[in-house]
Amino acid sequence: MADGKNAKHTLKMLLVGDSGVGKSCLLQRFSDGTFTHSFMPTIGIDFKVRTVPIEGKEIKLQLWDTAGQERFRTITAAYYRGGHGVVLVYDVTDQNSFSHIKIWMKGIEQHASQGVNKILVGNKADMDDKRGQELAEKYGIRFYETSAKTGQNVDDMFLLLAKEIKHRVIDPMGDEPEEPQATSSSPKVDLTSSKDSQPQASGGCCGK
């Protein structure tokens, strides 16, 4: 795993979705290669960093894990503006979390930057989930089934989204990612430095 010293570019990706769908576990699996069965809901915002090589360039990924509980929606909305990509996560065994994707998509449309890259993820996968594929096609975005427990498709999903963001914000602009254009008046949050943007608290993992 790269240490990030040679990374010239930083891309910011958010994970959103209901509480308990496994966002923290996906983040832990991708950033640390580990998994835990214990579950502690994320309080506010948590984040990790991983640097990866993409098409010959070292890219530092700032991965922000947002709380799924409704009382934290305002905090989550404030972080949309600085993001280059959003991972929408639901639990394939939880119909409510799937139904609520439309609510999370509405939040992205209201608060995220224009042209932000999105991907839909059905986590805790143990079967083909045709619902997810159909919903992704409706929104015109990609769909992945993942398992944070086994690692199924986790790296592939994050790296594909990072590659798509790179093509949109780095390659056309040379050395610097373009600054996203906000679609709402939500407060600007600087996500470029982990020292300046400390998460309010950390969360735990759950599910497969």
Side-chain angles (χ1 to χ4, degrees), residues 2-13:
D3 59 13
K5 293 181 180 179
N6 297 322
K8 294 178 61 178
H9 311 284
T10 298
L11 299 180
K12 304 146 195 175
M13 299 161 61

Side-chain angles (χ1 to χ4, degrees), residues 32-120:
D32 304 331
T34 60
F35 175 82
T36 178
H37 288 277
S38 62
F39 170 62
M40 182 186 304
T42 299
I43 307 300
I45 299 289
D46 189 16
F47 83 102
K48 291 184 180 291
V49 174
R50 176 176 171 183
T51 300
V52 295
I54 299 178
E55 298 178 332
K57 294 183 179 180
E58 291 293 314
I59 309 292
K60 181 184 291 186
L61 303 180
Q62 285 188 354
L63 306 161
W64 294 81
D65 178 16
T66 65
Q69 300 95 320
E70 187 171 355
R71 66 180 183 274
F72 294 118
R73 295 285 172 83
T74 301
I75 297 174
T76 299
Y79 280 79
Y80 278 121
R81 184 177 180 182
H84 296 103
V86 183
V87 181
L88 296 106
V89 186
Y90 70 95
D91 177 349
V92 299
T93 68
D94 183 348
Q95 175 61 38
N96 285 335
S97 71
F98 176 77
S99 299
H100 292 164
I101 287 295
K102 63 179 180 292
I103 298 175
W104 293 104
M105 183 63 77
K106 183 177 180 180
I108 294 171
E109 293 171 350
Q110 291 177 339
H111 302 293
S113 308
Q114 294 178 3
V116 65
N117 295 81
K118 301 177 287 292
I119 193 167
L120 178 64

Side-chain angles (χ1 to χ4, degrees), residues 181-199:
Q181 298 297 313
T183 58
S184 76
S185 58
S186 59
K188 183 175 183 179
V189 180
D190 183 4
L191 307 187
T192 59
S193 171
S194 59
K195 293 181 180 179
D196 296 334
S197 302
Q198 291 295 325

Side-chain angles (χ1 to χ4, degrees), residues 125-144:
D126 56 5
M127 65 187 73
D128 290 334
D129 190 357
K130 295 181 180 179
R131 301 172 306 167
Q133 183 62 51
E134 292 173 354
L135 185 61
E137 290 175 358
K138 174 183 176 181
Y139 288 123
I141 61 179
R142 293 184 184 272
F143 171 69
Y144 264 89

